[in-house]
Amino acid sequence: MVNDEHRNVRIARRYHEAVARLAAPEELEEFLHPDMTHSQLPNVLFPAGVVRDLAETLAASAQARMLLTAQHYEVVNAVASGDQVALEVTWSGTLASGFGHLPAGHVIRAHIAAFLEFRDGKIVAQRNYDCYEPFA
């Protein structure tokens, strides 16, 4: 089976499409298992990293709707094995208001490795390794 045809890869792509269009938390919840955890490993925005449960993940998605006017995810590569999917993703987000020395409208970019684990056809764990391009 080609990885793009793997059921969990299709779900992962649809989930990232929903996140990209800043979908409402209720829509995102359709992709996420009730026991879901989302871990962001340390990066420039979260120096200590962060681990969120489902409610915190949905709240963070609602906050993103206030921080960004648009965002885009491009899944560059996807590999699936059983209930696990590894994604290589490029991301860009347009700031709704100033952030540090960056003005509103500035586009920030990141290169992401995301590892998703599925249970019952939903994402039960997500680990992100987000590498942001310099904020210049």
Side-chain angles (χ1 to χ4, degrees):
M1 181 177 277
V2 176
N3 282 330
D4 279 350
E5 294 177 5
H6 191 283
R7 177 178 58 95
N8 291 338
V9 170
R10 288 193 308 270
I11 294 168
R13 285 183 185 276
R14 287 192 356 256
Y15 168 65
H16 277 80
E17 290 166 1
V19 172
R21 69 175 179 278
L22 300 167
E26 299 77 23
E27 181 180 349
L28 297 179
E29 193 170 13
E30 294 177 22
F31 296 97
L32 305 174
H33 192 279
D35 297 333
M36 186 262 191
T37 60
H38 180 205
S39 303
Q40 286 188 300
L41 282 291
N43 61 58
V44 70
L45 295 181
F46 300 100
V50 64
V51 178
R52 297 182 178 107
D53 64 14
L54 175 61
E56 294 164 331
T57 298
L58 295 174
S61 75
Q63 184 180 21
R65 296 172 78 187
M66 293 184 288
L67 299 173
L68 302 170
T69 59
Q71 63 179 344
H72 175 75
Y73 288 86
E74 179 185 352
V75 176
V76 176
N77 196 6
V79 178
S81 178
D83 288 332
Q84 298 194 16
V85 173
L87 301 174
E88 178 184 2
V89 178
T90 57
W91 172 84
S92 61
T94 305
L95 296 174
S97 59
F99 176 74
H101 69 281
L102 303 175
H106 185 84
V107 177
I108 56 177
R109 292 178 173 75
H111 305 272
I112 301 168
F115 297 87
L116 309 175
E117 183 179 331
F118 288 78
R119 184 187 308 154
D120 304 324
K122 295 189 175 201
I123 299 166
V124 71
Q126 178 176 350
R127 287 183 319 283
N128 277 50
Y129 297 80
D130 301 345
C131 300
Y132 289 89
E133 292 183 0
F135 293 163

